[in-house]
Amino acid sequence: MQFKVAFDEADGEGIVFFGNYFRLAHRALEAYLPGIGIPWEEWFKNPEWGAPLRHVEADYLQPLKPGDSFEARVQVTKIGQTSVQFSYEFLTVDGLPITRLKTSHVFLNRQGTGKQAIPESIRRRLSAAGAGSLEKP
């Protein structure tokens, strides 16, 4: 997926503010999920469950600046009983790594009863996307 850095994503030094990399990763995830068969509404507006962030991490390898174009690659890297982990790699137009990020999402029941197992229909589609490390329920 190709993206372009917007002017307002930079800090006073003219490079992307570190926290904005997670916003860019979220945009990539929003584009990725429909591509693996999970419609935006099913993931982000599901009336039965939500999948908020539990953990994030990043390695910054070189800066991005407003106007820079980059490629974002997203992959399912781990599927647990109640959580899923995605990895993201941002690359320059020449294919050089810019940033590597990971996000872990935990599935929660919207009725307020806490964590829940990943719904089987979601698990199937995440698994089909090629998770590098699968933990079966």
Side-chain angles (χ1 to χ4, degrees):
M1 295 164 279
Q2 295 289 325
F3 293 92
K4 187 173 233 174
V5 177
F7 179 80
D8 66 348
E9 293 170 324
D11 61 17
E13 297 297 317
I15 59 174
V16 171
F17 174 67
F18 74 92
N20 284 340
Y21 283 88
F22 292 105
R23 197 169 81 196
L24 295 169
H26 195 275
R27 281 189 205 155
L29 181 65
E30 287 187 48
Y32 174 76
L33 290 171
I36 64 168
I38 302 173
W40 191 95
E41 293 80 7
E42 185 176 2
W43 185 273
F44 294 104
K45 293 191 94 173
N46 194 294
E48 297 174 17
W49 53 266
L53 287 169
R54 185 185 62 79
H55 178 82
V56 297
E57 60 184 81
D59 290 313
Y60 304 100
L61 307 171
Q62 63 177 305
L64 273 171
K65 297 180 179 180
D68 285 352
S69 293
F70 67 96
E71 179 181 336
R73 296 182 182 170
V74 182
Q75 180 180 2
V76 177
T77 51
K78 185 176 182 181
I79 301 172
Q81 173 66 27
T82 61
S83 64
V84 61
Q85 182 181 79
F86 296 96
S87 66
Y88 308 78
E89 185 173 40
F90 295 173
L91 304 165
T92 67
V93 292
D94 299 325
L96 300 173
I98 299 166
T99 306
R100 293 185 183 105
L101 304 103
K102 290 181 183 174
T103 63
S104 295
H105 302 256
V106 64
F107 283 74
L108 299 175
N109 184 294
R110 291 211 188 265
Q111 282 67 47
T113 58
K115 292 194 294 186
Q116 71 167 52
I118 298 172
E120 191 53 40
S121 66
I122 295 292
R123 178 181 295 283
R124 276 194 312 274
R125 288 174 275 175
L126 292 170
S127 295
S133 172
L134 295 177
E135 294 180 8
K136 296 297 178 189

PDB file of all heavy atoms in Angstrom, residues 54 78-85 104-107 115-118 123 126 135:
ATOM      1  N   ARG A  54      -3.486  -3.308  22.739  1.00  0.00           N
ATOM      2  CA  ARG A  54      -2.986  -3.739  24.044  1.00  0.00           C
ATOM      3  C   ARG A  54      -1.520  -3.379  24.195  1.00  0.00           C
ATOM      4  O   ARG A  54      -1.045  -3.054  25.274  1.00  0.00           O
ATOM      5  CB  ARG A  54      -3.182  -5.248  24.210  1.00  0.00           C
ATOM      6  CG  ARG A  54      -2.808  -5.775  25.577  1.00  0.00           C
ATOM      7  CD  ARG A  54      -2.906  -7.279  25.676  1.00  0.00           C
ATOM      8  NE  ARG A  54      -2.005  -7.988  24.783  1.00  0.00           N
ATOM      9  CZ  ARG A  54      -0.703  -8.184  25.009  1.00  0.00           C
ATOM     10  NH1 ARG A  54      -0.136  -7.708  26.087  1.00  0.00           N
ATOM     11  NH2 ARG A  54       0.033  -8.849  24.148  1.00  0.00           N
ATOM     12  N   LYS A  78       0.967 -13.068  14.712  1.00  0.00           N
ATOM     13  CA  LYS A  78       0.667 -13.992  15.811  1.00  0.00           C
ATOM     14  C   LYS A  78      -0.822 -13.938  16.104  1.00  0.00           C
ATOM     15  O   LYS A  78      -1.403 -12.859  16.186  1.00  0.00           O
ATOM     16  CB  LYS A  78       1.460 -13.608  17.055  1.00  0.00           C
ATOM     17  CG  LYS A  78       1.315 -14.562  18.213  1.00  0.00           C
ATOM     18  CD  LYS A  78       2.234 -14.135  19.353  1.00  0.00           C
ATOM     19  CE  LYS A  78       2.139 -15.090  20.507  1.00  0.00           C
ATOM     20  NZ  LYS A  78       3.001 -14.664  21.619  1.00  0.00           N
ATOM     21  N   ILE A  79      -1.409 -15.106  16.265  1.00  0.00           N
ATOM     22  CA  ILE A  79      -2.813 -15.195  16.642  1.00  0.00           C
ATOM     23  C   ILE A  79      -2.885 -16.012  17.918  1.00  0.00           C
ATOM     24  O   ILE A  79      -2.467 -17.163  17.943  1.00  0.00           O
ATOM     25  CB  ILE A  79      -3.667 -15.867  15.546  1.00  0.00           C
ATOM     26  CG1 ILE A  79      -3.564 -15.086  14.238  1.00  0.00           C
ATOM     27  CG2 ILE A  79      -5.122 -15.969  15.991  1.00  0.00           C
ATOM     28  CD1 ILE A  79      -4.212 -15.786  13.062  1.00  0.00           C
ATOM     29  N   GLY A  80      -3.381 -15.398  18.979  1.00  0.00           N
ATOM     30  CA  GLY A  80      -3.545 -16.095  20.247  1.00  0.00           C
ATOM     31  C   GLY A  80      -5.003 -16.465  20.476  1.00  0.00           C
ATOM     32  O   GLY A  80      -5.829 -16.413  19.558  1.00  0.00           O
ATOM     33  N   GLN A  81      -5.319 -16.802  21.713  1.00  0.00           N
ATOM     34  CA  GLN A  81      -6.696 -17.135  22.072  1.00  0.00           C
ATOM     35  C   GLN A  81      -7.588 -15.892  22.020  1.00  0.00           C
ATOM     36  O   GLN A  81      -8.687 -15.934  21.481  1.00  0.00           O
ATOM     37  CB  GLN A  81      -6.729 -17.747  23.480  1.00  0.00           C
ATOM     38  CG  GLN A  81      -8.119 -17.988  24.044  1.00  0.00           C
ATOM     39  CD  GLN A  81      -8.901 -19.034  23.287  1.00  0.00           C
ATOM     40  OE1 GLN A  81      -8.344 -19.936  22.680  1.00  0.00           O
ATOM     41  NE2 GLN A  81     -10.215 -18.918  23.321  1.00  0.00           N
ATOM     42  N   THR A  82      -7.092 -14.776  22.578  1.00  0.00           N
ATOM     43  CA  THR A  82      -7.899 -13.559  22.675  1.00  0.00           C
ATOM     44  C   THR A  82      -7.249 -12.355  22.013  1.00  0.00           C
ATOM     45  O   THR A  82      -7.758 -11.242  22.128  1.00  0.00           O
ATOM     46  CB  THR A  82      -8.169 -13.212  24.151  1.00  0.00           C
ATOM     47  OG1 THR A  82      -6.917 -12.977  24.799  1.00  0.00           O
ATOM     48  CG2 THR A  82      -8.932 -14.315  24.865  1.00  0.00           C
ATOM     49  N   SER A  83      -6.121 -12.561  21.342  1.00  0.00           N
ATOM     50  CA  SER A  83      -5.417 -11.415  20.764  1.00  0.00           C
ATOM     51  C   SER A  83      -4.770 -11.762  19.430  1.00  0.00           C
ATOM     52  O   SER A  83      -4.560 -12.932  19.103  1.00  0.00           O
ATOM     53  CB  SER A  83      -4.355 -10.892  21.730  1.00  0.00           C
ATOM     54  OG  SER A  83      -3.359 -11.877  21.947  1.00  0.00           O
ATOM     55  N   VAL A  84      -4.459 -10.707  18.678  1.00  0.00           N
ATOM     56  CA  VAL A  84      -3.769 -10.841  17.398  1.00  0.00           C
ATOM     57  C   VAL A  84      -2.693  -9.768  17.328  1.00  0.00           C
ATOM     58  O   VAL A  84      -2.856  -8.661  17.854  1.00  0.00           O
ATOM     59  CB  VAL A  84      -4.749 -10.728  16.205  1.00  0.00           C
ATOM     60  CG1 VAL A  84      -5.449  -9.371  16.167  1.00  0.00           C
ATOM     61  CG2 VAL A  84      -4.032 -10.996  14.884  1.00  0.00           C
ATOM     62  N   GLN A  85      -1.573 -10.120  16.708  1.00  0.00           N
ATOM     63  CA  GLN A  85      -0.475  -9.176  16.533  1.00  0.00           C
ATOM     64  C   GLN A  85      -0.247  -8.963  15.038  1.00  0.00           C
ATOM     65  O   GLN A  85      -0.254  -9.916  14.247  1.00  0.00           O
ATOM     66  CB  GLN A  85       0.804  -9.716  17.163  1.00  0.00           C
ATOM     67  CG  GLN A  85       1.968  -8.752  17.065  1.00  0.00           C
ATOM     68  CD  GLN A  85       3.212  -9.358  17.684  1.00  0.00           C
ATOM     69  OE1 GLN A  85       3.882 -10.171  17.072  1.00  0.00           O
ATOM     70  NE2 GLN A  85       3.482  -8.970  18.921  1.00  0.00           N
ATOM     71  N   SER A 104      -0.442  -5.094  19.015  1.00  0.00           N
ATOM     72  CA  SER A 104      -1.204  -6.228  19.537  1.00  0.00           C
ATOM     73  C   SER A 104      -2.581  -5.726  19.923  1.00  0.00           C
ATOM     74  O   SER A 104      -2.712  -4.705  20.609  1.00  0.00           O
ATOM     75  CB  SER A 104      -0.517  -6.828  20.764  1.00  0.00           C
ATOM     76  OG  SER A 104       0.722  -7.376  20.401  1.00  0.00           O
ATOM     77  N   HIS A 105      -3.602  -6.446  19.486  1.00  0.00           N
ATOM     78  CA  HIS A 105      -4.988  -6.086  19.747  1.00  0.00           C
ATOM     79  C   HIS A 105      -5.635  -7.207  20.549  1.00  0.00           C
ATOM     80  O   HIS A 105      -5.474  -8.376  20.220  1.00  0.00           O
ATOM     81  CB  HIS A 105      -5.754  -5.912  18.427  1.00  0.00           C
ATOM     82  CG  HIS A 105      -5.148  -4.877  17.540  1.00  0.00           C
ATOM     83  ND1 HIS A 105      -5.687  -3.629  17.392  1.00  0.00           N
ATOM     84  CD2 HIS A 105      -4.036  -4.912  16.750  1.00  0.00           C
ATOM     85  CE1 HIS A 105      -4.937  -2.927  16.552  1.00  0.00           C
ATOM     86  NE2 HIS A 105      -3.927  -3.689  16.154  1.00  0.00           N
ATOM     87  N   VAL A 106      -6.376  -6.835  21.584  1.00  0.00           N
ATOM     88  CA  VAL A 106      -7.084  -7.822  22.394  1.00  0.00           C
ATOM     89  C   VAL A 106      -8.575  -7.717  22.091  1.00  0.00           C
ATOM     90  O   VAL A 106      -9.107  -6.619  21.906  1.00  0.00           O
ATOM     91  CB  VAL A 106      -6.806  -7.629  23.902  1.00  0.00           C
ATOM     92  CG1 VAL A 106      -7.325  -6.289  24.407  1.00  0.00           C
ATOM     93  CG2 VAL A 106      -7.375  -8.767  24.714  1.00  0.00           C
ATOM     94  N   PHE A 107      -9.233  -8.854  22.000  1.00  0.00           N
ATOM     95  CA  PHE A 107     -10.663  -8.879  21.716  1.00  0.00           C
ATOM     96  C   PHE A 107     -11.436  -8.771  23.027  1.00  0.00           C
ATOM     97  O   PHE A 107     -11.197  -9.532  23.964  1.00  0.00           O
ATOM     98  CB  PHE A 107     -11.033 -10.158  20.953  1.00  0.00           C
ATOM     99  CG  PHE A 107     -10.643 -10.085  19.516  1.00  0.00           C
ATOM    100  CD1 PHE A 107      -9.318 -10.206  19.138  1.00  0.00           C
ATOM    101  CD2 PHE A 107     -11.599  -9.849  18.541  1.00  0.00           C
ATOM    102  CE1 PHE A 107      -8.946 -10.105  17.812  1.00  0.00           C
ATOM    103  CE2 PHE A 107     -11.236  -9.760  17.203  1.00  0.00           C
ATOM    104  CZ  PHE A 107      -9.910  -9.884  16.840  1.00  0.00           C
ATOM    105  N   LYS A 115     -12.230  -9.754  28.281  1.00  0.00           N
ATOM    106  CA  LYS A 115     -11.661 -10.413  27.107  1.00  0.00           C
ATOM    107  C   LYS A 115     -12.544 -11.560  26.635  1.00  0.00           C
ATOM    108  O   LYS A 115     -13.250 -12.165  27.431  1.00  0.00           O
ATOM    109  CB  LYS A 115     -10.264 -10.967  27.416  1.00  0.00           C
ATOM    110  CG  LYS A 115      -9.236  -9.909  27.640  1.00  0.00           C
ATOM    111  CD  LYS A 115      -7.821 -10.442  27.615  1.00  0.00           C
ATOM    112  CE  LYS A 115      -7.510 -11.369  28.742  1.00  0.00           C
ATOM    113  NZ  LYS A 115      -6.077 -11.747  28.766  1.00  0.00           N
ATOM    114  N   GLN A 116     -12.438 -11.818  25.332  1.00  0.00           N
ATOM    115  CA  GLN A 116     -13.169 -12.940  24.767  1.00  0.00           C
ATOM    116  C   GLN A 116     -12.290 -13.591  23.712  1.00  0.00           C
ATOM    117  O   GLN A 116     -11.344 -12.986  23.205  1.00  0.00           O
ATOM    118  CB  GLN A 116     -14.481 -12.497  24.140  1.00  0.00           C
ATOM    119  CG  GLN A 116     -14.318 -11.702  22.847  1.00  0.00           C
ATOM    120  CD  GLN A 116     -15.630 -11.574  22.106  1.00  0.00           C
ATOM    121  OE1 GLN A 116     -16.623 -11.155  22.674  1.00  0.00           O
ATOM    122  NE2 GLN A 116     -15.636 -11.930  20.834  1.00  0.00           N
ATOM    123  N   ALA A 117     -12.615 -14.823  23.372  1.00  0.00           N
ATOM    124  CA  ALA A 117     -11.913 -15.516  22.298  1.00  0.00           C
ATOM    125  C   ALA A 117     -12.146 -14.776  20.982  1.00  0.00           C
ATOM    126  O   ALA A 117     -13.200 -14.171  20.776  1.00  0.00           O
ATOM    127  CB  ALA A 117     -12.404 -16.957  22.188  1.00  0.00           C
ATOM    128  N   ILE A 118     -11.154 -14.826  20.123  1.00  0.00           N
ATOM    129  CA  ILE A 118     -11.320 -14.246  18.793  1.00  0.00           C
ATOM    130  C   ILE A 118     -12.463 -14.988  18.101  1.00  0.00           C
ATOM    131  O   ILE A 118     -12.469 -16.222  18.078  1.00  0.00           O
ATOM    132  CB  ILE A 118     -10.025 -14.384  17.968  1.00  0.00           C
ATOM    133  CG1 ILE A 118      -8.874 -13.629  18.637  1.00  0.00           C
ATOM    134  CG2 ILE A 118     -10.239 -13.888  16.535  1.00  0.00           C
ATOM    135  CD1 ILE A 118      -7.522 -13.875  17.985  1.00  0.00           C
ATOM    136  N   ARG A 123     -10.916 -15.352  13.128  1.00  0.00           N
ATOM    137  CA  ARG A 123      -9.721 -16.190  13.250  1.00  0.00           C
ATOM    138  C   ARG A 123      -9.382 -16.860  11.915  1.00  0.00           C
ATOM    139  O   ARG A 123      -8.224 -16.889  11.505  1.00  0.00           O
ATOM    140  CB  ARG A 123      -9.924 -17.253  14.332  1.00  0.00           C
ATOM    141  CG  ARG A 123      -8.737 -18.207  14.496  1.00  0.00           C
ATOM    142  CD  ARG A 123      -8.999 -19.249  15.554  1.00  0.00           C
ATOM    143  NE  ARG A 123      -9.121 -18.659  16.868  1.00  0.00           N
ATOM    144  CZ  ARG A 123      -8.091 -18.245  17.613  1.00  0.00           C
ATOM    145  NH1 ARG A 123      -6.863 -18.386  17.181  1.00  0.00           N
ATOM    146  NH2 ARG A 123      -8.301 -17.711  18.797  1.00  0.00           N
ATOM    147  N   LEU A 126      -7.939 -14.214   9.534  1.00  0.00           N
ATOM    148  CA  LEU A 126      -6.594 -13.823   9.965  1.00  0.00           C
ATOM    149  C   LEU A 126      -5.599 -14.939   9.666  1.00  0.00           C
ATOM    150  O   LEU A 126      -4.496 -14.690   9.172  1.00  0.00           O
ATOM    151  CB  LEU A 126      -6.585 -13.494  11.459  1.00  0.00           C
ATOM    152  CG  LEU A 126      -7.339 -12.242  11.899  1.00  0.00           C
ATOM    153  CD1 LEU A 126      -7.436 -12.190  13.411  1.00  0.00           C
ATOM    154  CD2 LEU A 126      -6.669 -10.983  11.355  1.00  0.00           C
ATOM    155  N   GLU A 135      -1.137 -19.566  17.421  1.00  0.00           N
ATOM    156  CA  GLU A 135      -1.431 -20.268  18.651  1.00  0.00           C
ATOM    157  C   GLU A 135      -2.886 -20.675  18.585  1.00  0.00           C
ATOM    158  O   GLU A 135      -3.759 -19.813  18.548  1.00  0.00           O
ATOM    159  CB  GLU A 135      -1.177 -19.375  19.868  1.00  0.00           C
ATOM    160  CG  GLU A 135       0.274 -19.019  20.050  1.00  0.00           C
ATOM    161  CD  GLU A 135       0.494 -18.128  21.250  1.00  0.00           C
ATOM    162  OE1 GLU A 135      -0.448 -17.903  22.021  1.00  0.00           O
ATOM    163  OE2 GLU A 135       1.607 -17.642  21.393  1.00  0.00           O
TER     164      GLU A 135
END
